[in-house]
Amino acid sequence: MVANSCKKIVIVGGGIIGLSTAYAAICEGLQVTVVDRLSNFGDNCSRGNAGMIVPSHFIPLAAPGAFSNAIKWMMDPESPFHVKPRLSWDLMKWGMRFFLACTETQVGQAAPLLRDLSFASRDLYLQWSDSGIDCSLAKKGLLMLCKSETAMVEESEIAHRARDLGIPAQTLNASETSALDPNITMDIEGSIYYPKDCHLDPSQLLSSLKEKIISLGGKIQHDCLVTGWKTNGQKIIALETKQGEIEADEFVLCGGIWSEGLVKKLKLKLPLLPGKGYSLTLPNPIELPTVCSILCESKVAVTPIGSGLRFGGTMQLGELNQSIDPRRVYGILKSIPFYMPQFRVQHFEGIQPWCGLRPVSPDGLPYIGRTNAWKNLTIATGHAMMGISLGPITGELVNNVLHRRPTKINIERLSPDRYGI
Ligand SMILES: Cc1cc2nc3c(=O)[nH]c(=O)nc-3n(C[C@H](O)[C@H](O)[C@H](O)COP(=O)(O)OP(=O)(O)OC[C@H]3O[C@@H](n4cnc5c(N)ncnc54)[C@H](O)[C@@H]3O)c2cc1C
């Protein structure tokens, strides 16, 4: 038996989930190596996203109404949600599981869990800031901006539910919203303000975490594509990579959307679909809000990042490539002036859209935990729209799993084996 203090852990993937896991493990004296196929972690999903920490997002993607909205939006090339229709057994199975998960019962069970995970993660971000992980964390809350009365009614109902769960939420009219963030001109019906939400600079976060891990003795291997696993019985002995084999006592898979392909080589099922999204960052915006927001009807996230302003959105399910669809990008851009009338689509001329692939599970919940099929494999992925939000708590939970300690939040529902092994 290897003593924990010298146990060797290899983590596949250097996105927010892999780096959070590495940091948590290294703080407990484990010997950590992170491998990633990208140079300097280049452009994974964790870099160009909207950087929001969102206790307000306690309703998972799979919720009543989500399936019918998906069908409705499929025909609109500029809509915020799209599934590329294709003949694929995996896609059909994923769709069926998503459909089955879109129930009030599942939301009722998932919501308190997501609340607990989000608040625990938020607390950890505050601790990280105190220990020198710099990510420009802003504890300013989040505004759900509603253009229409209908959206206001829907969002007010969600706010009511949030308060029932102990998540503070305030319903504001248009002038109360303006008073909260006078830096930005808004043309809206009103908003819901979630004071506990935060925002940060995701790129700075990744760089700062990486530096911290290295300074604490962790090893990071870039340009290291994992191609397979060397096994013996029910144990993994080594990772097979383009740079050779890497042995370890424990393996943690944090490979984002590519995790499903990697576990297939271990004969495991991990249903995931890529959820492609885009962001565009104005370096010198005409106005700079201080509070991050979501344009409710168009599902666009708006985040101040330093002196720049990032707009992100769209969920194109099922495309495992990073090609940019200009119609979807235009869908994001054209919605902005409706809410923020000082902005014009022309302001974005010459701005290169960034594209990221969210790892999306059918029930909208991440996979966190060990699989029964392999003695020394832990999986942490499938965070969809909440990878930044839930990164630190995921790292802490995985670390408890690695030490075979009880977790402070029950993660049975998040088992990577929940769709069978
Ligand atoms: C437009 C947009 C906005 C978003 N906004 C937010 C937000 O405001 N708040 C929030 O919480 N979340 C947000 N998200 C979601 C968030 O970005 C993701 O949930 C998160 O980045 C997923 O992190 P990850 O570490 O699982 O995956 P990734 O960041 O994709 O990292 C996976 C890593 O694994 C590596 N890898 C994969 N396969 C291999 C292999 N075979 N060998 C070696 N390395 C490999 C990859 O190179 C990659 O670096 C947003 C996403 C998008 C697209």
Side-chain angles (χ1 to χ4, degrees):
M1 181 105 179
V2 186
N4 271 340
S5 56
C6 58
K7 222 178 190 182
K8 189 173 174 201
I9 312 291
V10 169
I11 297 167
V12 180
I16 182 60
I17 303 301
L19 293 184
S20 302
T21 301
Y23 180 54
I26 220 161
C27 287
E28 292 227 30
L30 300 180
Q31 207 186 312
V32 176
T33 303
V34 181
V35 297
D36 200 293
R37 63 195 176 131
L38 297 171
S39 316
N40 202 21
F41 299 151
D43 211 5
N44 52 29
C45 189
S46 302
R47 208 162 266 279
N49 59 66
M52 294 177 178
I53 300 162
V54 280
S56 58
H57 284 40
F58 59 93
I59 297 182
L61 189 65
F67 195 81
S68 50
N69 273 342
I71 305 285
K72 187 179 74 191
W73 277 329
M74 263 173 85
M75 298 305 141
D76 178 357
E78 290 170 12
S79 69
F81 190 91
H82 180 72
V83 187
K84 192 172 187 185
R86 66 187 154 91
L87 271 181
S88 148
W89 181 230
D90 281 347
L91 179 63
M92 279 191 283
K93 267 199 300 192
W94 191 99
M96 184 50 73
R97 285 168 168 152
F98 177 67
F99 175 73
L100 292 173
C102 287
T103 65
E104 207 39 70
T105 313
Q106 112 94 10
V107 172
Q109 290 165 356
L113 174 58
L114 287 174
R115 172 204 57 196
D116 293 349
L117 292 170
S118 292
F119 278 136
S121 219
R122 184 186 186 278
D123 287 348
L124 285 167
Y125 269 119
L126 301 182
Q127 287 174 30
W128 284 13
S129 284
D130 291 344
S131 13
I133 294 171
D134 194 6
C135 57
S136 304
L137 182 68
K139 293 176 281 172
K140 292 187 181 291
L142 171 141
L143 283 165
M144 300 293 290
L145 303 180
C146 301
K147 183 76 193 164
S148 64
E149 248 177 74
T150 318
M152 208 49 214
V153 170
E154 282 170 13
E155 290 302 325
S156 300
E157 277 167 19
I158 297 174
H160 182 72
R161 205 163 167 174
R163 287 189 289 269
D164 281 351
L165 280 167
I167 303 167
Q170 296 160 21
T171 305
L172 306 179
N173 62 27
S175 50
E176 287 165 337
T177 310
S178 289
L180 198 95
D181 199 349
N183 287 6
I184 182 108
T185 315
M186 290 178 267
D187 181 7
I188 52 165
E189 177 69 24
S191 71
I192 309 295
Y193 178 55
Y194 288 95
K196 291 287 182 192
D197 285 20
C198 304
H199 66 266
L200 52 74
D201 178 342
S203 186
Q204 190 188 9
L205 167 68
L206 291 196
S207 305
S208 194
L209 255 181
K210 186 183 140 187
E211 268 172 37
K212 192 79 178 175
I213 290 163
I214 293 172
S215 74
L216 293 171
K219 206 170 149 199
I220 296 200
Q221 270 179 250
H222 295 290
D223 298 306
C224 186
L225 177 76
V226 176
T227 52
W229 313 82
K230 190 171 169 187
T231 61
N232 182 8
Q234 265 192 295
K235 272 198 95 176
I236 299 168
I237 308 295
L239 276 184
E240 292 167 350
T241 81
K242 287 279 183 204
Q243 294 181 11
E245 288 181 1
I246 305 174
E247 292 184 355
D249 304 300
E250 293 276 357
F251 296 82
V252 187
L253 178 59
C254 308
I257 186 52
W258 299 274
S259 304
E260 185 181 19
L262 280 164
V263 295
K264 270 190 183 151
K265 297 181 179 178
L266 290 169
K267 303 207 170 9
L268 287 177
K269 295 184 198 121
L270 197 68
L272 284 173
L273 273 190
K276 190 190 280 188
Y278 305 107
S279 73
L280 297 102
T281 308
L282 288 175
N284 301 300
I286 189 157
E287 290 181 332
L288 186 61
T290 54
V291 180
C292 66
S293 60
I294 291 181
L295 316 182
C296 285
E297 292 90 338
S298 45
K299 315 260 179 265
V300 170
V302 186
T303 313
I305 295 185
S307 55
L309 189 59
R310 180 166 295 167
F311 298 85
T314 292
M315 175 71 96
Q316 264 176 284
L317 276 176
E319 286 184 49
L320 191 52
N321 62 57
Q322 280 172 284
S323 64
I324 309 263
D325 181 342
R327 293 166 309 173
R328 305 267 156 212
V329 173
Y330 183 67
I332 297 175
L333 298 188
K334 82 167 191 188
S335 68
I336 299 164
F338 285 114
Y339 301 79
M340 299 176 170
Q342 295 301 311
F343 288 85
R344 299 274 174 279
V345 172
Q346 293 86 312
H347 293 166
F348 294 86
E349 272 167 24
I351 304 286
Q352 181 59 30
W354 168 89
C355 170
L357 299 173
R358 310 169 181 96
V360 187
S361 68
D363 58 8
L365 296 174
Y367 298 107
I368 304 174
R370 283 188 190 274
T371 162
N372 279 326
W374 297 93
K375 287 193 189 308
N376 55 345
L377 175 66
T378 304
I379 294 174
T381 187
H383 293 72
M385 303 180 302
M386 289 180 286
I388 295 294
S389 208
L390 303 183
I393 185 62
T394 302
E396 187 180 290
L397 291 166
V398 169
N399 213 43
N400 284 327
V401 170
L402 289 173
H403 286 87
R404 299 186 186 275
R405 286 192 302 243
T407 52
K408 71 176 174 197
I409 297 172
N410 185 336
I411 54 170
E412 257 170 63
R413 273 187 81 80
L414 309 181
S415 165
D417 293 340
R418 65 185 183 269
Y419 294 105
I421 46 176

